[in-house]
PDB file of all heavy atoms in Angstrom:
ATOM      1  N   ARG A 821     -17.662   1.250  16.581  1.00 95.00           N
ATOM      2  CA  ARG A 821     -16.713   2.297  16.470  1.00 95.00           C
ATOM      3  C   ARG A 821     -15.294   2.017  16.951  1.00 95.00           C
ATOM      4  O   ARG A 821     -14.292   2.348  16.400  1.00 95.00           O
ATOM      5  CB  ARG A 821     -17.279   3.499  17.221  1.00 95.00           C
ATOM      6  CG  ARG A 821     -16.384   4.696  16.913  1.00 95.00           C
ATOM      7  CD  ARG A 821     -16.591   5.959  17.893  1.00 95.00           C
ATOM      8  NE  ARG A 821     -18.009   6.205  18.446  1.00 95.00           N
ATOM      9  CZ  ARG A 821     -18.161   7.185  19.181  1.00 95.00           C
ATOM     10  NH1 ARG A 821     -17.350   8.051  19.574  1.00 95.00           N
ATOM     11  NH2 ARG A 821     -19.394   7.331  19.551  1.00 95.00           N
ATOM     12  N   HIS A 822     -15.312   1.210  18.094  1.00 95.00           N
ATOM     13  CA  HIS A 822     -14.006   0.928  18.673  1.00 95.00           C
ATOM     14  C   HIS A 822     -13.197  -0.012  17.718  1.00 95.00           C
ATOM     15  O   HIS A 822     -11.984   0.107  17.470  1.00 95.00           O
ATOM     16  CB  HIS A 822     -14.190   0.193  19.985  1.00 95.00           C
ATOM     17  CG  HIS A 822     -12.885  -0.259  20.710  1.00 95.00           C
ATOM     18  ND1 HIS A 822     -12.104   0.610  21.273  1.00 95.00           N
ATOM     19  CD2 HIS A 822     -12.423  -1.443  20.804  1.00 95.00           C
ATOM     20  CE1 HIS A 822     -11.093   0.062  21.800  1.00 95.00           C
ATOM     21  NE2 HIS A 822     -11.126  -1.258  21.457  1.00 95.00           N
ATOM     22  N   VAL A 823     -13.870  -0.948  17.099  1.00 95.00           N
ATOM     23  CA  VAL A 823     -13.162  -1.911  16.249  1.00 95.00           C
ATOM     24  C   VAL A 823     -12.747  -1.240  15.000  1.00 95.00           C
ATOM     25  O   VAL A 823     -11.675  -1.377  14.522  1.00 95.00           O
ATOM     26  CB  VAL A 823     -14.117  -3.236  15.763  1.00 95.00           C
ATOM     27  CG1 VAL A 823     -13.616  -3.945  14.635  1.00 95.00           C
ATOM     28  CG2 VAL A 823     -14.481  -4.094  17.012  1.00 95.00           C
ATOM     29  N   GLY A 824     -13.574  -0.325  14.342  1.00 95.00           N
ATOM     30  CA  GLY A 824     -13.132   0.493  13.250  1.00 95.00           C
ATOM     31  C   GLY A 824     -12.002   1.390  13.633  1.00 95.00           C
ATOM     32  O   GLY A 824     -11.106   1.493  12.750  1.00 95.00           O
ATOM     33  N   ARG A 825     -12.007   2.055  14.719  1.00 96.00           N
ATOM     34  CA  ARG A 825     -10.896   2.883  15.113  1.00 96.00           C
ATOM     35  C   ARG A 825      -9.616   2.099  15.259  1.00 96.00           C
ATOM     36  O   ARG A 825      -8.523   2.513  14.841  1.00 96.00           O
ATOM     37  CB  ARG A 825     -11.210   3.712  16.432  1.00 96.00           C
ATOM     38  CG  ARG A 825     -10.237   4.612  16.727  1.00 96.00           C
ATOM     39  CD  ARG A 825     -10.481   5.348  18.130  1.00 96.00           C
ATOM     40  NE  ARG A 825     -11.916   5.709  18.191  1.00 96.00           N
ATOM     41  CZ  ARG A 825     -12.594   5.975  19.424  1.00 96.00           C
ATOM     42  NH1 ARG A 825     -11.817   5.847  20.465  1.00 96.00           N
ATOM     43  NH2 ARG A 825     -13.727   6.239  19.303  1.00 96.00           N
ATOM     44  N   THR A 826      -9.684   0.906  15.848  1.00 96.00           N
ATOM     45  CA  THR A 826      -8.494   0.162  16.108  1.00 96.00           C
ATOM     46  C   THR A 826      -7.932  -0.469  14.727  1.00 96.00           C
ATOM     47  O   THR A 826      -6.838  -0.532  14.513  1.00 96.00           O
ATOM     48  CB  THR A 826      -8.798  -1.045  17.001  1.00 96.00           C
ATOM     49  OG1 THR A 826      -9.494  -0.575  18.191  1.00 96.00           O
ATOM     50  CG2 THR A 826      -7.674  -1.846  17.325  1.00 96.00           C
ATOM     51  N   THR A 827      -8.947  -0.767  13.842  1.00 97.00           N
ATOM     52  CA  THR A 827      -8.468  -1.341  12.526  1.00 97.00           C
ATOM     53  C   THR A 827      -7.775  -0.191  11.803  1.00 97.00           C
ATOM     54  O   THR A 827      -6.656  -0.481  11.166  1.00 97.00           O
ATOM     55  CB  THR A 827      -9.750  -1.763  11.753  1.00 97.00           C
ATOM     56  OG1 THR A 827     -10.441  -2.778  12.587  1.00 97.00           O
ATOM     57  CG2 THR A 827      -9.409  -2.350  10.451  1.00 97.00           C
ATOM     58  N   VAL A 828      -8.438   0.916  11.656  1.00 97.00           N
ATOM     59  CA  VAL A 828      -7.728   2.041  10.851  1.00 97.00           C
ATOM     60  C   VAL A 828      -6.395   2.531  11.499  1.00 97.00           C
ATOM     61  O   VAL A 828      -5.457   2.714  10.717  1.00 97.00           O
ATOM     62  CB  VAL A 828      -8.780   3.233  10.713  1.00 97.00           C
ATOM     63  CG1 VAL A 828      -8.079   4.405  10.099  1.00 97.00           C
ATOM     64  CG2 VAL A 828      -9.964   2.751   9.819  1.00 97.00           C
ATOM     65  N   GLY A 829      -6.421   2.615  12.768  1.00 97.00           N
ATOM     66  CA  GLY A 829      -5.080   3.055  13.470  1.00 97.00           C
ATOM     67  C   GLY A 829      -4.011   2.025  13.124  1.00 97.00           C
ATOM     68  O   GLY A 829      -2.872   2.345  12.792  1.00 97.00           O
ATOM     69  N   SER A 830      -4.379   0.714  13.343  1.00 97.00           N
ATOM     70  CA  SER A 830      -3.353  -0.275  13.146  1.00 97.00           C
ATOM     71  C   SER A 830      -3.007  -0.408  11.720  1.00 97.00           C
ATOM     72  O   SER A 830      -1.746  -0.576  11.525  1.00 97.00           O
ATOM     73  CB  SER A 830      -3.990  -1.688  13.631  1.00 97.00           C
ATOM     74  OG  SER A 830      -2.971  -2.705  13.580  1.00 97.00           O
ATOM     75  N   ALA A 831      -3.765  -0.346  10.828  1.00 97.00           N
ATOM     76  CA  ALA A 831      -3.496  -0.329   9.381  1.00 97.00           C
ATOM     77  C   ALA A 831      -2.589   0.902   8.837  1.00 97.00           C
ATOM     78  O   ALA A 831      -1.500   0.637   8.236  1.00 97.00           O
ATOM     79  CB  ALA A 831      -4.713  -0.260   8.518  1.00 97.00           C
ATOM     80  N   ALA A 832      -2.816   2.018   9.649  1.00 97.00           N
ATOM     81  CA  ALA A 832      -1.995   3.173   9.183  1.00 97.00           C
ATOM     82  C   ALA A 832      -0.714   3.046   9.768  1.00 97.00           C
ATOM     83  O   ALA A 832       0.402   3.360   9.054  1.00 97.00           O
ATOM     84  CB  ALA A 832      -2.673   4.450   9.679  1.00 97.00           C
ATOM     85  N   LEU A 833      -0.571   2.546  11.024  1.00 97.00           N
ATOM     86  CA  LEU A 833       0.748   2.429  11.614  1.00 97.00           C
ATOM     87  C   LEU A 833       1.642   1.295  11.006  1.00 97.00           C
ATOM     88  O   LEU A 833       2.740   1.441  10.647  1.00 97.00           O
ATOM     89  CB  LEU A 833       0.652   2.074  13.095  1.00 97.00           C
ATOM     90  CG  LEU A 833       1.837   2.215  14.038  1.00 97.00           C
ATOM     91  CD1 LEU A 833       2.199   3.807  13.927  1.00 97.00           C
ATOM     92  CD2 LEU A 833       1.471   1.887  15.400  1.00 97.00           C
ATOM     93  N   PHE A 834       1.012   0.190  10.671  1.00 97.00           N
ATOM     94  CA  PHE A 834       1.768  -0.932  10.045  1.00 97.00           C
ATOM     95  C   PHE A 834       2.167  -0.513   8.594  1.00 97.00           C
ATOM     96  O   PHE A 834       3.297  -0.759   8.104  1.00 97.00           O
ATOM     97  CB  PHE A 834       0.891  -2.093   9.884  1.00 97.00           C
ATOM     98  CG  PHE A 834       0.892  -3.065  11.066  1.00 97.00           C
ATOM     99  CD1 PHE A 834       0.442  -2.889  12.244  1.00 97.00           C
ATOM    100  CD2 PHE A 834       1.622  -4.316  10.767  1.00 97.00           C
ATOM    101  CE1 PHE A 834       0.470  -3.805  13.178  1.00 97.00           C
ATOM    102  CE2 PHE A 834       1.760  -5.338  11.953  1.00 97.00           C
ATOM    103  CZ  PHE A 834       1.229  -4.973  13.067  1.00 97.00           C
ATOM    104  N   GLY A 835       1.276   0.156   7.897  1.00 96.00           N
ATOM    105  CA  GLY A 835       1.538   0.619   6.597  1.00 96.00           C
ATOM    106  C   GLY A 835       2.714   1.684   6.469  1.00 96.00           C
ATOM    107  O   GLY A 835       3.627   1.628   5.727  1.00 96.00           O
ATOM    108  N   LEU A 836       2.666   2.589   7.505  1.00 96.00           N
ATOM    109  CA  LEU A 836       3.749   3.577   7.664  1.00 96.00           C
ATOM    110  C   LEU A 836       5.131   2.959   7.874  1.00 96.00           C
ATOM    111  O   LEU A 836       6.064   3.288   7.274  1.00 96.00           O
ATOM    112  CB  LEU A 836       3.414   4.599   8.707  1.00 96.00           C
ATOM    113  CG  LEU A 836       4.488   5.600   9.049  1.00 96.00           C
ATOM    114  CD1 LEU A 836       4.583   6.713   8.054  1.00 96.00           C
ATOM    115  CD2 LEU A 836       4.316   6.253  10.450  1.00 96.00           C
ATOM    116  N   PHE A 837       5.163   2.008   8.772  1.00 96.00           N
ATOM    117  CA  PHE A 837       6.446   1.457   9.205  1.00 96.00           C
ATOM    118  C   PHE A 837       6.959   0.513   7.995  1.00 96.00           C
ATOM    119  O   PHE A 837       8.178   0.433   7.773  1.00 96.00           O
ATOM    120  CB  PHE A 837       6.348   0.870  10.505  1.00 96.00           C
ATOM    121  CG  PHE A 837       6.471   1.746  11.658  1.00 96.00           C
ATOM    122  CD1 PHE A 837       5.401   1.833  12.438  1.00 96.00           C
ATOM    123  CD2 PHE A 837       7.582   2.530  11.774  1.00 96.00           C
ATOM    124  CE1 PHE A 837       5.445   2.702  13.482  1.00 96.00           C
ATOM    125  CE2 PHE A 837       7.676   3.483  12.864  1.00 96.00           C
ATOM    126  CZ  PHE A 837       6.565   3.513  13.784  1.00 96.00           C
TER     127      PHE A 837
END
Side-chain angles (χ1 to χ4, degrees):
R821 186 190 332 176
H822 181 75
V823 171
R825 186 183 315 157
T826 307
T827 301
V828 170
S830 181
L833 199 61
F834 269 73
L836 174 74
F837 282 118

